[in-house]
C-alpha cells in the first residue's frame, strides 16, 4: 500500500537534527512505493541535499514572514500549507520541543489521529503498528491510526537513520507560506544549554545527581564524558540545587534519552528520572547506597563513592581507547 | 477572571504497574490528579486570588473521576464538571468533547497539564486549543497575567523561552510552575457540599470517534543484567570497562 509521507525536518544550532534522518528512514519503511518529502520551515534551504542523501525523495522549503523561529501559529500554518499541497497520508515529526508543541495542533486541524513518542514501528498487513512507552516506561503499547491522516512524533535515537548515499538526487522546491497572525510572540530565549554533545542524540550519556554535591562535583563527570565522547546529563535534584543547567535534566520533565550507554552517578533512580532514561540500551549505576532503586534497572552497578570511582574509570577508558 | 482548568485523573506512577490479559490492572490502583494538572489547578487558584473570578475544573472520564474533581474543589476550585467518557476515547475524542462543552462559555484563560503521566501523550490540551482557536504556550515555568495578555516563561528543551500571548489562551503547566497546596479541612468540608455537574457525551452532540486504537499492551522487558561489580574501586573501574567492551559491547 503506497503511502506519501511528509517529514518535518528540524535544524538546531546550525545543523539538521539526527531525529529528522530517523523520521525519513521511518518514512521509507512505511512509504511502500510512495514518496517521502521533507519540509524545512523558515530556514535551511542549504540542507536539502543532506535530507535527500538520507532517503528523502523531495524537499520543500517554506518561507514567510516570522517563520525564521518557531511559533505555534506560524509553523502549524506553514506545515498545513505543505499538507494541503502534497496531501500526504502520513506525517512524521521528531518528539522534540517543536514536534511536541506543533504536532497535536496540526493533527487536530486535520481531525487526524496521532501517536506520540514512538520508539518503534513496523508494517502489519495494511497497518502501521507503532510502539510507544506508557506509565513512565513501565509498560509499552502498540497503537494504530484507524482512519484518515496518520500523525506521529518519533522519539530521537530509537529508529536507525539510513546511511548517507551521496549520489542520491531529488527534487527541491520552494513554497511561500501565507501571511498569518502569529498570536504567541517570542520575546526572548534564555539559553540554558551547556553546549557540547547534544544530549538527546548522544550515544553515551554520563549523568550526575544530587550525589555530585556541587557544581564542581560535575568536573570528574565531564572529564569522563570527554574521553567517551559522551554528553553530560543530570537529575532534577542536581538542576534544582543549582549544580548544573536545567538543559541537562533527564526525566519526565526533562529530556528523554536513549543512548547505548547511560552512566548514572549519584542518582537514586526516582520514577520520574527513570522515565527519561530507562529505555537506554545499557545502564551503569554508581551509587554509595546499595539499596538505591537505580540498581534495579542497572546492568552494571558499582556500590561506591563516585568521586573515587569516576576518575578511575576515566583512567581505564583512556588506556582502553588510547585517548 | 474566568479560569478553566482541564483536569485528568491518572494512575499514580509511583505505583507498581502490572499488565494482565493485555491490559494494565488499575482497578484497585490509587488514582490521583495528574501531577501537571495539579500545577494547573494551583496556578488557577493563584490567578483568582490575585484578580478575582472563578476557577472551573472539567474532566472527561468515568465515575471515579469525581474523587479528583472533589480534590480540586477542596483545594479551592469553585465549580466542577464531569463529562462522561465514551468507550475507546482517544485524545481526539477527549479534546473534541472538552471543546464542545466549553464552546459558548466565557473563559479568559484555560490552564492544563503539559502531559499526562500515564499515557504520556501530551496531545489533549493542545488539541483543545486548536479546536477552540485559542493561542497557546506550553510547558510554563512562570505565568504573569496583565490586562489581556499573558507572559509565559516556558521550558523549551531546557532553554527558557519568554513568550507573550493574548488572552483568552491556553497555557500548560510544567513542573516548577508552583507548589500545589494541600486541601485544608474547611476546604474539604466545603467541597463535600458542592455539586459536580454531570454531562453525558451524547448531550454535547459530538461525533468524534477515536482515530487511534491501542492494539496491545505489554510490560517493559527490562532484562537488565543487574551485575554488582565487587572489589576495590580500582578493580571495579577496571572490571566495568572490560564488561562494557567485552560483554555489553557498547565501547
Ligand atoms: C512531577 C515531577 C516531575 C519530575 N521530573 C523529574 C525529572 O524530569 N528528572 C528527574 O531526575 N527528577 C524528576 N523529578 C524528581 C524526582 O522525583 C527525584 O526527586 C529526583 O530524580 C532525585 O534526584 P537524585 O537522584 O539526584 O537525588 P537523590 O534522590 O537525593 O539521590 C542522590 C543519590 O546520590 C547518592 N550519593 C550521594 N553521595 C554519593 C557519592 N559520593 N557517591 C555515589 N553516590 C552518592 C545517594 O546514595 C542517593 O542515592 C520529578 C518529580 C515530580 C514530582
Ligand atoms: N480526560 C481528560 N479530561 C480533562 N482534561 C484532560 C483529559 N485528558 C487530558 N487532559 C488535559 O490535557 C493534558 C495533556 O494530556 P494528554 O494528552 O493525555 O497527555 C492533561 O494534562 C490535561 O490537562
Amino acid at each position: 500500500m503506497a503511502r506519501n509521507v511528509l517529514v518535518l525536518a528540524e535544524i538546531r544550532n546550525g545543523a539538521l537534527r539526527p531525529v529528522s534522518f530517523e523520521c525519513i528512514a521511518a518514512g521509507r519503511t512505511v512509504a511502500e512505493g510512495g514518496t517521502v518529502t521533507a519540509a524545512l520551515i523558515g530556514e535551511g534551504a542549504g540542507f536539502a541535499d543532506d535530507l535527500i542523501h538520507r532517503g528523502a525523495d523531495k524537499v520543500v522549503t517554506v518561507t514567510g514572514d516570522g517563520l525564521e523561529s518557531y511559533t505555534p501559529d506560524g509553523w502549524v500554518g506553514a506545515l498545513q500549507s505543505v499538507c494541503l499541497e502534497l496531501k500526504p497520508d502520513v506525517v512524521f515529526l521528531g518528539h522534540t520541543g517543536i514536534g511536541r508543541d506543533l504536532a497535536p495542533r496540526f493533527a487536530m486541524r486535520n481531525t487526524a489521529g496521532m501517536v506520540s513518542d514512538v520508539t518503534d514501528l513496523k508494517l502489519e498487513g495494511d497497518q502501521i503498528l507503532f510502539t510507544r512507552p506508557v506509565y513512565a516506561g513501565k509498560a509499552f503499547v502498540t497503537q494504530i491510526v484507524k482512519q484518515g491522516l496518520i500523525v506521529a512524533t518519533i522519539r530521537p535515537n530509537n529508529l536507525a537513520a539510513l546511511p548517507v548515499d551521496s549520489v542520491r538526487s531529488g527534487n527541491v522546491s520552494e513554497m511561500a507560506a501565507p501571511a498569518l497572525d502569529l498570536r504567541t510572540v517570542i520575546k526572548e530565549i534564555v539559553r540554558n544549554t551547556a553546549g557540547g554533545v547534544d544530549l538527546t542524540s548522544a550515544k553515551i550519556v554520563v549523568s550526575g545527581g544530587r550525589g555530585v554535591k556541587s557544581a564542581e562535583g560535575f568536573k570528574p563527570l565531564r572529564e569522563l564524558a570527554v574521553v567517551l565522547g559522551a554528553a553530560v546529563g543530570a537529575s532534577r535534584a542536581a538542576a534544582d540545587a543549582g549544580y548544573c543547567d536545567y538543559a541537562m535534566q533527564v526525566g519526565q520533565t526533562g529530556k528523554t534519552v536513549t543512548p547505548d550507554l547511560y552512566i548514572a552517578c549519584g542518582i537514586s533512580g526516582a520514577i520520574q528520572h527513570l522515565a527519561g532514561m530507562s529505555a537506554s540500551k545499557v545502564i551503569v549505576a554508581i551509587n554509595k547506597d546499595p539499596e538505591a532503586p537505580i540498581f534495579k534497572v542497572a546492568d552494571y552497578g558499582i556500590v561506591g563513592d563516585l568521586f573515587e570511582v569516576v576518575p578511575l574509570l576515566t583512567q581505564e577508558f583512556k588506556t582502553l581507547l588510547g585517548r | 477572571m474566568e479560569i478553566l482548568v482541564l483536569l485528568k485523573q491518572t494512575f499514580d506512577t509511583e505505583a507498581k504497574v502490572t499488565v494482565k490479559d493485555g491490559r494494565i490492572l488499575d482497578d484497585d490502583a490509587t488514582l490521583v490528579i495528574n501531577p501537571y494538572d495539579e500545577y494547573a489547578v494551583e496556578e488557577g487558584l493563584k490567578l483568582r486570588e490575585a484578580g478575582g473570578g472563578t476557577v472551573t475544573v472539567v474532566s472527561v472520564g468515568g465515575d471515579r473521576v469525581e474523587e479528583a474533581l472533589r480534590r480540586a474543589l477542596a483545594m479551592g476550585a469553585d465549580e466542577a464538571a464531569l463529562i462522561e467518557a465514551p468507550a475507546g476515547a482517544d485524545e481526539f475524542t477527549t479534546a473534541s468533547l472538552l471543546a464542545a462543552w466549553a464552546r459558548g462559555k466565557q473563559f479568559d484563560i484555560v490552564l492544563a497539564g503539559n502531559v499526562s503521566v500515564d499515557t504520556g501523550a501530551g496531545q489533549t490540551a493542545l488539541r483543545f486549543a486548536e479546536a477552540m482557536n485559542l493561542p497557546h504556550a506550553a510547558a510554563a515555568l512562570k505565568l504573569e497575567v496583565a490586562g489581556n495578555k499573558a507572559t509565559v516563561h516556558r521550558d523549551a528543551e531546557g532553554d527558557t523561552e519568554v513568550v507573550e500571548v493574548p488572552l483568552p489562551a491556553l497555557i500548560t503547566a510544567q513542573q516548577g510552575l508552583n507548589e500545589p497546596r494541600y486541601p485544608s479541612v474547611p476546604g474539604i468540608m466545603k467541597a463535600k457540599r458542592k455539586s459536580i455537574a454531570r454531562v453525558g457525551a451524547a448531550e454535547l452532540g459530538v461525533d468524534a470517534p477515536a482515530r487511534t486504537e491501542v492494539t496491545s499492551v505489554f510490560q517493559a522487558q527490562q532484562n537488565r543484567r543487574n551485575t554488582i561489580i565487587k572489589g576495590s574501586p580500582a578493580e571495579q573501574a577496571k572490571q566495568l570497562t572490560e564488561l562494557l567492551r567485552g560483554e555489553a559491547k557498547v565501547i
Side-chain angles (χ1 to χ4, degrees), chain A residues 62-188:
Chain A
V62 194
T63 47
D65 278 350
L67 290 183
E68 305 76 32
S69 48
Y70 174 78
T71 61
D73 289 330
W75 281 46
V76 174
L79 192 65
Q80 186 68 7
S81 305
V82 181
C83 201
L84 291 176
E85 178 103 3
L86 297 180
K87 303 196 172 53
D89 305 295
V90 180
V91 179
F92 286 154
L93 308 91
H95 195 69
T96 58
I98 288 177
R100 282 188 306 236
D101 201 63
L102 183 157
R105 277 201 95 115
F106 170 77
M108 197 63 177
R109 195 164 294 185
N110 294 284
T111 63
M114 170 176 160
V115 186
S116 309
D117 200 14
V118 169
T119 53
D120 199 9
L121 55 80
K122 65 174 184 197
L123 292 169
E124 209 173 77
D126 264 358
Q127 301 281 9
I128 306 174
L129 198 60
F130 295 99
T131 301
R132 54 184 306 268
V134 293
Y135 295 87
K138 288 180 178 175
F140 283 84
V141 297
T142 56
Q143 198 170 0
I144 57 167
V145 176
K146 295 190 285 187
Q147 46 154 302
L149 178 68
I150 298 171
V151 180
T153 55
I154 305 221
R155 183 185 281 200
N157 235 356
N158 280 261
L159 304 178
L162 297 169
V164 176
D165 175 357
S166 50
V167 295
R168 243 183 101 82
S169 64
N171 179 289
V172 182
S173 59
E174 272 175 51
M175 228 178 104
L180 290 163
D181 176 19
L182 308 184
R183 295 169 297 183
T184 308
V185 183
I186 301 175
K187 290 292 181 191
E188 191 190 348

Side-chain angles (χ1 to χ4, degrees), chain A residues 4-69:
Chain A
N4 290 325
V5 183
L6 178 63
V7 167
L8 176 70
E10 267 188 70
I11 295 166
R12 191 172 164 94
N13 299 332
L16 284 164
R17 298 189 74 157
V19 68
S20 299
F21 300 142
E22 293 155 17
C23 287
I24 291 174
R28 284 258 75 93
T29 304
V30 305
E32 299 190 276
T35 304
V36 178
T37 307
L40 278 162
I41 298 177
E43 55 166 337
F47 292 102
D49 283 345
D50 293 342
L51 294 166
I52 290 166
H53 295 163
R54 292 291 194 148
D57 299 306
K58 295 201 280 182
V59 174
V60 182
T61 60
V62 194
T63 47
D65 278 350
L67 290 183
E68 305 76 32
S69 48

Side-chain angles (χ1 to χ4, degrees), chain A residues 208-213 234-238 240 249-255 265-274 286-289 292-294 304-307, chain B residues 14 35-36 39 117 175:
Chain A
R210 206 198 305 269
V212 302
K213 294 197 180 69
S235 72
R236 173 93 199 186
D240 278 343
Q249 185 190 323
V250 170
Q252 194 180 282
T253 27
K255 289 180 176 146
C265 311
I267 293 178
S268 61
I271 180 71
Q272 296 90 354
H273 188 78
L274 301 185
I286 302 167
N287 196 305
K288 63 181 188 190
D289 173 9
I294 190 77
D305 183 345
L306 73 92
F307 294 106
Chain B
E14 310 269 353
Y36 298 94
Y39 302 131
V117 296
Q175 194 204 7

Side-chain angles (χ1 to χ4, degrees), chain A residues 97 105 109 111-112 116 132 135 138 140 142 146 185 187-188 190-193 252 278 280 299-301, chain B residues 13 15 36 118-119 121 123 127 130 133-134 157-160 162 164 211 215-216 218 224 227 229 247:
Chain A
R105 277 201 95 115
R109 195 164 294 185
T111 63
S116 309
R132 54 184 306 268
Y135 295 87
K138 288 180 178 175
F140 283 84
T142 56
K146 295 190 285 187
V185 183
K187 290 292 181 191
E188 191 190 348
V190 185
R191 297 258 173 234
N192 300 323
T193 321
Q252 194 180 282
S278 65
S280 303
D299 292 284
Y300 303 108
Chain B
T13 44
Y36 298 94
D118 52 357
T119 62
Q123 295 186 25
R127 280 179 178 272
E130 177 66 23
N133 195 23
L134 293 175
E157 294 199 35
D159 290 338
T160 307
V162 184
E164 221 171 69
R211 296 298 195 253
T215 52
S216 70
F218 51 98
R224 296 286 174 194
T227 307
I229 300 170
E247 186 177 70

